[in-house]
Amino acid sequence: MHWDHYWDLTKALSSFGDSNSPLGYPEEVLIFWESVVKDKKENKSYLDLGTGKGALALWIQSILTRNNIKGKVSGCDLANIKKAKIISSADEINEAINKVEFKFNTPLELLPYPSNSFDLLVSQFGFEYSKWSESLPEAMRVLKDNGEIILMMHHPDSVITNDCRGGKKILSWFLTEKIFDDLATIISLKLSGEDLSFNKRNKQIIQKIQSLEVHNDGEQVWFMDIMSQISKLMISLTKESVIALIELKNAVNKQIDRLDDQLSVAFEEQEIKNKIQATQIKSKGIKTERFYVDKALFSWKVTINK
Ligand SMILES: C[S@@+](CC[C@H](N)C(=O)[O-])C[C@H]1O[C@@H](n2cnc3c(N)ncnc32)[C@H](O)[C@@H]1O
């Protein structure tokens, strides 16, 4: 699964790996979850669905510890993540890593917890990836009576989804135009001393890359990122560069799979309502709201009460 690959490579604790904070989440998201935990008070049990490397679970545990609130935090995810690979440079987060109970290789469609185990189920861009017809009844089963589910889910018009579209466009272009294969071919030309052919083909590839239309700042960032990785490989041309190019092409393929996956789970409001209704769960209330970060649309916030 591409998530196994992603979590194996990234040192970040969340899929927002680019941000500067230890957990990678924007400030508003941290503040939101902090307010949820402070509202719930003592002796509550939390389960983070699709926890990845645990950023949300670790944040909840940190809030409990900081505020001296008793509580138990668990997190589960389908990916094959090694607990030893969950490491932070922040002491508070490291302390939390030892307290949270993680279960990996664990599908949300078959939760390994007894019924009525948790007061609150949470998710930050995790739940929507599962098969709702099975995972939502499971979530309701492990939730205590009067418990709550709060799901932050991808929105089709959010900044993140738009960024994914840009990334998909740029990376797919490099694959469909066979840029990696062309570069591997010209490295072979150089290595076999065919300098004239190398120069000619090299020029053609540069012209081709220059023809790619980059429409906005987001696409520009994706373009610069892939170009900087390619440029590093092309500094000294050796047999190893060809292997590195093939590895980069494979990594780009996996990244596109991840972007596709993310785009496929950004549902419209009516789709969310229909998907929940189709599960026939019994709830006391369901609410879908938009969540904004810095006045920009960031996600859905879906609340379900048992
Ligand atoms: C976008 S990541 C979010 C991870 C984490 N919540 C975060 O904030 O970084 C989505 C996660 O959902 C997990 N996932 C996808 N389908 C799943 C399923 N059916 N059951 C459990 N986890 C799943 C993936 O392995 C991945 O770690």
Side-chain angles (χ1 to χ4, degrees):
M1 181 170 84
H2 61 86
W3 284 112
D4 293 350
H5 180 256
Y6 175 79
W7 292 119
D8 196 39
L9 288 188
T10 185
K11 287 199 173 97
L13 294 181
S14 76
S15 50
F16 299 77
D18 301 334
S19 177
N20 294 322
S21 81
L23 294 171
Y25 294 149
E27 185 91 25
E28 286 88 338
V29 172
L30 295 175
I31 292 172
F32 167 72
W33 288 115
E34 182 171 3
S35 70
V36 167
V37 175
K38 284 184 171 168
D39 259 16
K40 296 283 164 202
K41 308 229 168 54
E42 290 283 332
N43 285 323
K44 300 293 179 204
S45 46
Y46 298 82
L47 174 63
D48 179 17
L49 302 166
T51 191
K53 277 196 177 171
L56 176 55
L58 295 170
W59 179 236
I60 292 176
Q61 180 60 61
S62 302
I63 299 302
L64 293 174
T65 309
R66 259 187 213 181
N67 295 282
N68 220 358
I69 305 173
K70 287 199 187 80
K72 169 102 193 77
V73 186
S74 305
C76 63
D77 197 284
L78 181 59
N80 181 19
I81 297 169
K82 302 275 170 294
K83 172 121 192 262
K85 284 205 156 190
I86 307 180
I87 308 163
S88 170
S89 53
D91 289 347
E92 184 183 41
I93 305 297
N94 271 323
E95 200 186 314
I97 292 170
N98 293 323
K99 289 185 176 163
V100 172
E101 188 204 52
F102 286 113
K103 286 189 196 285
F104 297 114
N105 298 299
T106 299
L108 300 186
E109 294 80 357
L110 203 62
L111 291 172
Y113 306 100
S115 302
N116 306 307
S117 297
F118 300 96
D119 296 286
L120 190 67
L121 303 190
V122 297
S123 177
Q124 183 70 56
F125 301 141
F127 176 82
E128 61 268 51
Y129 290 90
S130 65
K131 203 169 166 194
W132 295 29
S133 57
E134 291 166 28
S135 55
L136 195 50
E138 268 297 82
M140 291 301 269
R141 177 184 68 76
V142 301
L143 187 65
K144 291 182 187 170
D145 288 341
N146 298 315
E148 192 172 31
I149 305 181
I150 305 179
L151 309 167
M152 292 277 228
M153 301 204 291
H154 285 299
H155 189 296
D157 303 322
S158 73
V159 274
I160 298 173
T161 307
N162 284 330
D163 182 56
C164 285
R165 285 192 193 101
K168 188 183 165 183
K169 176 193 138 179
I170 299 294
L171 297 184
S172 304
W173 184 88
F174 276 82
L175 287 183
T176 48
E177 292 298 323
K178 300 197 177 341
I179 300 296
F180 300 106
D181 309 85
D182 285 354
L183 289 171
T185 306
I186 65 166
I187 295 174
S188 306
L189 289 175
K190 186 75 177 175
L191 292 177
S192 55
E194 295 176 60
D195 282 3
L196 274 179
S197 303
F198 168 84
N199 289 337
K200 191 174 159 213
R201 296 283 296 273
N202 192 25
K203 229 184 197 167
Q204 286 169 346
I205 296 174
I206 292 170
Q207 278 170 354
K208 202 190 227 181
I209 292 176
Q210 283 170 342
S211 76
L212 168 62
E213 287 180 23
V214 177
H215 284 129
N216 54 46
D217 290 352
E219 289 183 8
Q220 183 68 17
V221 171
W222 284 96
F223 177 74
M224 297 302 282
D225 180 60
I226 188 69
M227 282 310 294
S228 100
Q229 295 186 64
I230 290 175
S231 306
K232 272 187 211 144
L233 295 183
M234 300 299 287
I235 290 173
S236 59
L237 302 182
T238 61
K239 275 186 196 150
E240 286 71 37
S241 321
V242 178
I243 296 167
L245 261 176
I246 294 167
E247 280 170 0
L248 180 59
K249 183 182 166 187
N250 289 340
V252 165
N253 261 311
K254 288 208 171 68
Q255 207 171 355
I256 292 174
D257 284 349
R258 189 163 64 83
L259 293 171
D260 268 337
D261 210 6
Q262 209 156 312
L263 289 167
S264 74
V265 297
F267 301 112
E268 299 288 349
E269 188 165 24
Q270 196 54 51
E271 284 179 277
I272 293 177
K273 287 181 176 163
N274 293 346
K275 282 169 80 69
I276 295 177
Q277 204 181 13
T279 66
Q280 296 186 335
I281 55 154
K282 286 199 181 80
S283 77
K284 285 188 182 148
I286 298 168
K287 210 156 62 176
T288 46
E289 295 163 274
R290 286 166 181 77
F291 186 88
Y292 292 83
V293 164
D294 223 2
K295 295 194 179 135
L297 183 56
F298 182 78
S299 67
W300 288 115
K301 183 184 123 197
V302 177
T303 314
I304 302 172
N305 291 93
K306 182 168 170 183

